[in-house]
Protein backbone atom coordinates (compact mmCIF):
# COMPACT_ATOMS: atom_id res chain seq x y z
CA UNK A 1 0.00 0.00 0.00
CA UNK A 2 1.23 3.48 -0.84
CA UNK A 3 1.12 5.82 2.13
CA UNK A 4 2.00 9.51 2.28
CA UNK A 5 5.33 8.54 3.85
CA UNK A 6 6.03 6.09 1.03
CA UNK A 7 5.11 8.68 -1.62
CA UNK A 8 7.53 11.18 -0.12
CA UNK A 9 10.20 8.49 0.27
CA UNK A 10 10.02 7.60 -3.43
CA UNK A 11 9.93 11.19 -4.76
CA UNK A 12 13.74 11.65 -4.90
CA UNK A 13 13.82 8.93 -7.58
CA UNK A 14 11.88 11.25 -9.90
CA UNK A 15 13.28 13.88 -12.25
CA UNK A 16 10.92 16.44 -13.76
CA UNK A 17 10.61 16.15 -17.54
CA UNK A 18 7.84 18.69 -17.96
CA UNK A 19 5.66 20.65 -15.57
CA UNK A 20 2.71 22.86 -16.40
CA UNK A 21 -0.06 24.00 -14.09
CA UNK A 22 -2.08 20.90 -13.21
CA UNK A 23 0.20 18.37 -14.93
CA UNK A 24 3.65 17.03 -14.11
CA UNK A 25 5.60 14.40 -16.00
CA UNK A 26 8.57 12.77 -14.30
CA UNK A 27 11.23 10.29 -15.30
CA UNK A 28 11.61 7.44 -12.83
CA UNK A 29 15.11 6.28 -11.94
CA UNK A 30 15.67 2.52 -12.25
CA UNK A 31 17.12 2.70 -8.72
CA UNK A 32 13.55 3.03 -7.43
CA UNK A 33 13.23 -0.74 -7.68
CA UNK A 34 15.25 -1.11 -4.48
CA UNK A 35 12.91 1.15 -2.49
CA UNK A 36 9.72 0.42 -4.36
CA UNK A 37 9.65 -3.36 -4.05
CA UNK A 38 6.35 -3.25 -2.17
CA UNK A 39 4.70 -0.80 -4.58
CA UNK A 40 2.97 -1.99 -7.74
CA UNK A 41 2.11 0.02 -10.84
CA UNK A 42 -1.54 -0.73 -10.14
CA UNK A 43 -1.23 0.91 -6.72
CA UNK A 44 0.32 3.99 -8.31
CA UNK A 45 -2.42 4.21 -10.93
CA UNK A 46 -5.17 4.00 -8.28
CA UNK A 47 -3.83 6.92 -6.23
CA UNK A 48 -6.41 9.32 -7.75
CA UNK A 49 -9.09 7.27 -5.99
CA UNK A 50 -7.25 7.68 -2.68
CA UNK A 51 -5.91 11.25 -2.64
CA UNK A 52 -8.03 14.36 -3.11
CA UNK A 53 -6.49 16.63 -5.71
CA UNK A 54 -4.85 13.88 -7.78
CA UNK A 55 -7.03 13.51 -10.87
CA UNK A 56 -5.20 10.98 -13.03
CA UNK A 57 -1.93 9.07 -13.11
CA UNK A 58 -0.49 7.41 -16.20
CA UNK A 59 2.55 5.15 -15.97
CA UNK A 60 4.64 4.57 -19.09
CA UNK A 61 6.74 1.50 -18.32
CA UNK A 62 8.52 1.55 -21.67
CA UNK A 63 10.19 4.92 -21.19
CA UNK A 64 10.05 4.94 -17.39
CA UNK A 65 7.87 7.96 -16.81
CA UNK A 66 4.82 8.92 -14.78
CA UNK A 67 2.36 11.66 -15.72
CA UNK A 68 0.25 13.10 -12.92
CA UNK A 69 -2.73 15.35 -13.56
CA UNK A 70 -3.64 17.25 -10.41
CA UNK A 71 -5.70 20.10 -9.01
CA UNK A 72 -3.27 23.01 -8.89
CA UNK A 73 -5.31 24.74 -6.19
CA UNK A 74 -4.62 21.82 -3.84
CA UNK A 75 -1.13 20.81 -5.01
CA UNK A 76 0.91 23.94 -5.69
CA UNK A 77 3.94 23.76 -7.99
CA UNK A 78 6.21 24.46 -5.01
CA UNK A 79 4.95 21.32 -3.27
CA UNK A 80 6.04 19.16 -6.20
CA UNK A 81 9.37 20.96 -6.48
CA UNK A 82 10.06 20.55 -2.76
CA UNK A 83 9.00 16.91 -2.70
CA UNK A 84 11.27 15.94 -5.60
CA UNK A 85 14.15 18.00 -4.15
CA UNK A 86 13.66 16.39 -0.72
CA UNK A 87 12.77 19.67 1.03
CA UNK A 88 10.08 20.18 3.71
CA UNK A 89 9.21 16.47 3.67
CA UNK A 90 7.47 16.45 7.07
CA UNK A 91 5.18 19.26 5.95
CA UNK A 92 4.47 17.54 2.61
CA UNK A 93 3.70 14.23 4.35
CA UNK A 94 1.25 16.03 6.62
CA UNK A 95 -0.47 17.68 3.64
CA UNK A 96 -0.80 14.37 1.76
CA UNK A 97 -2.08 12.58 4.87
CA UNK A 98 -4.84 15.19 5.19
CA UNK A 99 -5.81 14.62 1.55
CA UNK A 100 -6.07 10.81 1.82
CA UNK A 101 -9.68 9.76 1.29
CA UNK A 102 -11.55 7.23 3.33
CA UNK A 103 -11.64 4.33 0.85
CA UNK A 104 -14.17 1.65 1.63
Amino acid sequence: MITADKSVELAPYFTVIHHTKGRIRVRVSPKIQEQGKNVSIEEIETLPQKIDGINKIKVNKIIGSITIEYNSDIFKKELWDNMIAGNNLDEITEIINKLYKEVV
Side-chain angles (χ1 to χ4, degrees):
M1 180 175 145
I2 297 180
T3 62
D5 290 328
K6 189 61 152 177
S7 299
V8 170
E9 181 183 312
L10 296 176
Y13 293 94
F14 301 152
T15 305
V16 176
I17 298 170
H18 189 257
H19 195 177
T20 59
K21 189 174 182 177
R23 185 177 181 276
I24 185 169
R25 185 165 170 238
V26 295
R27 174 122 16 251
V28 182
S29 168
K31 293 180 182 180
I32 199 170
Q33 291 178 334
E34 299 162 16
Q35 287 292 323
K37 288 179 185 172
N38 298 326
V39 177
S40 69
I41 291 174
E42 291 77 23
E43 285 182 291
I44 293 169
E45 291 176 330
T46 61
L47 281 176
Q49 299 165 12
K50 299 175 185 173
I51 302 176
D52 283 325
I54 301 293
N55 303 327
K56 182 179 177 184
I57 295 179
K58 181 180 178 192
V59 177
N60 186 325
K61 294 186 287 188
I62 294 171
I63 62 170
S65 72
I66 298 175
T67 302
I68 303 168
E69 294 178 16
Y70 63 92
N71 181 327
S72 60
D73 293 330
I74 296 173
F75 287 95
K76 305 288 185 204
K77 182 182 184 305
E78 295 78 23
L79 183 136
W80 296 105
D81 294 342
N82 282 329
M83 187 163 60
I84 290 171
N87 300 326
N88 304 322
L89 297 181
D90 289 338
E91 179 183 334
I92 294 168
T93 300
E94 186 176 317
I95 291 168
I96 294 172
N97 275 326
K98 287 180 182 177
L99 295 170
Y100 254 87
K101 301 175 188 176
E102 292 289 326
V103 179
V104 179

